[in-house]
Amino acid sequence: MNDSTTAPVSPVVLEAWFDLQCPDCFAALDDVRALRETYGDRLDVQLRHFPLAKHKHAYAAAQAAEEAFEQGKGWPYAEALLARTAELGDRGEPVLLEVAAELGLDAEEFDTALIDGRHLLIVDADEAEGKAIKVTGTPTYVIGGERLDGGQSQDGLRQRIEEIADRLLQG
């Protein structure tokens, strides 16, 4: 018999809709890191893919990130890739494999995953869901049923996310 009178608290989910070739998403990483540090395991930050048509390699980058999640290093991969958005734009898919190798991931498996399209359905489903909830740009966040658009201005966004997270965690 369990003596606990309270159930464990489920983490609050923060969906981060990112395009991994988007410089604004790279800028948003500071807020994501700060939120993770503040809330720890009480906040589940989930990467959701919304590759923008203007970024030629964003769709492949989203698939590569899913392979990184399969190999256990999804967020480190996404962060490393976002730090190289200009290079990804200039050089394309070789950058995806280089980042994987730098993180000690199986770059050959990345190449195979990009060729066989094993992560297409996840990326397509995220993109479709994003469109359904009216995501139009990146970064966009969803927390507690509220959509917060980041775009070029992150001003006040982290504070708003914290307010919502605090409210949700208090029940």
Side-chain angles (χ1 to χ4, degrees), residues 54-85:
K54 68 181 179 180
H55 293 136
K56 183 167 117 174
H57 305 291
Y59 192 80
Q63 293 176 70
E66 284 302 313
E67 181 59 30
F69 276 103
E70 284 275 318
Q71 293 188 33
K73 291 189 179 177
W75 271 108
Y77 183 84
E79 290 185 22
L81 194 55
L82 282 166
R84 296 168 70 170
T85 56

Side-chain angles (χ1 to χ4, degrees), residues 8 13 16 25 27 30 36 39 42-43 55-56 76 91 106 110 118-119 124 134 139 144-146 148 153 167-168 170:
V13 174
C25 292
D30 287 339
R36 277 199 187 120
Y39 292 96
R42 296 177 305 142
L43 183 69
H55 293 136
K56 183 167 117 174
R91 295 185 42 237
D106 185 340
F110 266 76
R118 69 182 74 158
H119 302 296
D124 288 347
K134 301 194 181 354
E146 290 188 51
L148 305 167
S153 175
R167 183 182 76 232
L168 294 170
Q170 290 174 358

Side-chain angles (χ1 to χ4, degrees), residues 115-137:
I115 291 167
D116 71 19
R118 69 182 74 158
H119 302 296
L120 287 172
L121 291 177
I122 293 169
V123 176
D124 288 347
D126 274 5
E127 191 174 26
E129 185 178 338
K131 288 177 182 175
I133 63 169
K134 301 194 181 354
V135 172
T136 58

